[in-house]
Amino acid sequence: MSLRIVPPSGSPRILAVAQLVNSLGDGAYYVCSALYFSRVVGLSAAQIGLGLTIAWAIGSVGGVPLGHLADRRGPRSTAVLLALATAASVAAFLFVRSFVPFLLAACCYATAQCGLAAARQALLAGLVAKEERTEALAYLQSTLNAGLAVGAAAGGVALHFGTRDAYLSVLAMDAAAFALCALVLLRLPTVRPAAAPTAGDGPGLAVLRDRPYALVAFLNMVMLLRMPLISLAIPLWIVERTSAPGGSVSMLLVLNTGAVMLFQVRTAAAVTDLPSATRTVRRGGAVMLASCAVFALSAAAGAPAWVAVTVLLAGAVLQVVGEMMQSAGAWQISFDLAPAGQQGQYQGFFGTGVSVARMLGPLLLTTLIVSWGVPGWLLLGALFLAAGLAMGPAVRWAEKSDARFVCAG
């Protein structure tokens, strides 16, 4: 069974190169940013947390109008400008020395990132045939994980030295990566902007009145609460509730990253239309419930360390399988339910789930898992299962709703 990692030539490969470039910088940034803001800028943990929460809240709101801008002005030019805006925002972090400038730069960074994600989705929709979009996104996700892994290793070198210059070099690397990403995106063909709506077409931001699509996006947001699991909740769970050594955290992270890099494309191959997408999301919810139950078992009283590690590995395997299934199904659903010519604003709205998961996920998951323990794991798994089961009826409602297409214009 062959593993497909490199996307086909043409626009998908160029998009993957752009994804790889900026994910290299982001991987290093994610590893070092918190310590940079704390040790170099001098912010407290509370200030960092508050600033990033506010920034991602604003960014999630900005994704829809910036996606709409991509629809109306052209997704390639909008994506290039937003990549440059992200580069400038990261560069601004090099000069902040107090909370207010940090907050302003963080808001610009989060808004540009959310808008860039929407514009790139609209760009992909305009360049890749409908039946090939989910596969293309799977390649991009694999590329993203590969870049993050390599970038995180570079960030680890900076952490080893721990000097001000080392941290500054990581931020400069991330800023340069987004600038280079903009240059790569310029190699793509131009996608013609959508026609401006007429007076009878309804509101410009039609997605804000599309209730079926909003329900679908909400259910996807619930399933995206898995995002802080591997990076935050499970490490805390391992240290505070299990007998497993702390080093097992990195082992689970490597497993998750490597599995997505190697198997996301193959997982997405099963998704070809809305019925297969909803079926895959439903199965993903069930697998994620199973993973939560297995993770809960890792805290069994008196279990030796090797047993705890084995159980954690089994839970991580189930978790990443469910993650890949949920991602593949959600991609197909988000594109197929978005009206032609409005992919930017619809993808911007759908993508708010990522920002909300980043904002609310850490607090929710630490409360459920670290504070509540086994009951919290089971409740979280039940949420995943319920969202997966509800996705099918929600998608069918969106398909049958004439009001949605009238509203969308």
Side-chain angles (χ1 to χ4, degrees):
M1 182 172 65
S2 62
L3 299 176
R4 293 171 292 172
I5 300 175
V6 180
S9 59
S11 295
R13 187 168 297 178
I14 297 174
L15 285 167
V17 171
Q19 183 83 289
L20 177 63
V21 168
N22 74 246
S23 62
L24 287 169
D26 270 349
Y29 171 83
Y30 292 151
V31 168
C32 296
S33 59
L35 291 179
Y36 168 77
F37 295 133
S38 174
R39 296 178 178 177
V40 178
V41 179
L43 301 177
S44 67
Q47 287 177 317
I48 297 170
L50 175 62
L52 293 178
T53 298
I54 293 173
W56 285 112
I58 292 175
S60 66
V61 174
V64 175
L66 288 173
H68 180 59
L69 178 67
D71 292 329
R72 297 292 171 239
R73 300 298 179 186
R76 190 189 73 162
S77 59
T78 304
V80 169
L81 289 175
L82 289 171
L84 293 174
T86 306
S89 301
V90 176
F93 285 137
L94 295 167
F95 305 100
V96 301
R97 293 296 177 267
S98 60
F99 177 71
V100 173
F102 159 73
L103 177 61
L104 293 175
C107 288
C108 292
Y109 171 79
T111 302
Q113 281 275 52
C114 291
L116 176 59
R120 289 169 90 162
Q121 297 286 74
L123 186 57
L124 183 144
L127 294 173
V128 179
K130 180 179 178 179
E131 62 274 10
E132 298 174 0
R133 290 172 187 167
T134 296
E135 181 185 54
L137 279 166
Y139 278 116
L140 294 182
Q141 188 70 15
S142 298
T143 304
L144 171 68
N145 273 41
L148 289 176
V150 176
V157 174
L159 288 180
H160 173 73
F161 288 102
T163 64
R164 179 177 180 273
D165 288 343
Y167 289 125
L168 291 176
S169 66
V170 166
L171 267 69
M173 170 185 167
D174 195 24
F178 275 100
L180 181 57
C181 170
L183 293 177
V184 174
L185 291 173
L186 283 174
R187 296 181 56 201
L188 291 166
T190 300
V191 176
R192 181 179 300 177
T198 63
D201 286 338
L205 295 179
V207 69
L208 299 181
R209 296 189 182 183
D210 191 338
R211 288 181 296 173
Y213 196 87
L215 176 59
V216 170
F218 171 77
L219 294 173
N220 183 66
M221 181 200 73
V222 172
M223 300 193 80
L224 286 176
L225 290 174
R226 60 167 173 76
M227 293 179 62
L229 269 178
I230 290 292
S231 61
L232 176 66
I234 290 176
L236 292 175
W237 170 261
I238 289 173
V239 172
E240 297 189 18
R241 294 278 193 150
T242 78
S243 58
S248 57
V249 172
S250 60
M251 181 170 52
L252 298 187
L253 285 169
V254 170
L255 186 152
N256 182 276
T257 303
V260 173
M261 183 177 66
L262 295 174
F263 299 110
Q264 181 67 78
V265 175
R266 182 163 293 279
T267 302
V271 179
T272 57
D273 52 20
L274 284 174
S276 61
T278 55
R279 186 166 57 250
T280 300
V281 170
R282 182 172 65 247
R283 291 172 179 171
V287 174
M288 289 160 70
L289 167 62
S291 76
C292 289
V294 172
F295 277 128
L297 290 175
S298 65
W306 71 267
V307 172
V309 170
T310 302
V311 174
L312 287 168
L313 283 172
V317 169
L318 289 170
Q319 192 274 333
V320 74
V321 170
E323 171 186 335
M324 290 188 292
M325 295 174 77
Q326 183 269 329
S327 295
W331 295 330
Q332 186 83 29
I333 290 167
S334 69
F335 277 116
D336 283 7
L337 292 180
Q342 295 180 321
Q343 286 285 355
Q345 61 170 285
Y346 270 72
Q347 297 307 317
F349 185 80
F350 200 80
T352 58
V354 175
S355 301
V356 173
R358 284 173 171 168
M359 287 188 296
L360 303 181
L363 176 61
L364 178 62
L365 292 187
T366 52
T367 300
L368 282 177
I369 293 172
V370 181
S371 299
W372 292 13
V374 172
W377 271 117
L378 298 179
L379 178 56
L380 178 63
L383 285 175
F384 289 145
L385 178 63
L389 292 174
M391 187 64 80
V395 168
R396 288 192 291 273
W397 179 33
E399 284 186 285
K400 295 176 181 178
S401 177
D402 292 336
R404 184 174 70 86
F405 290 101
V406 171
C407 169

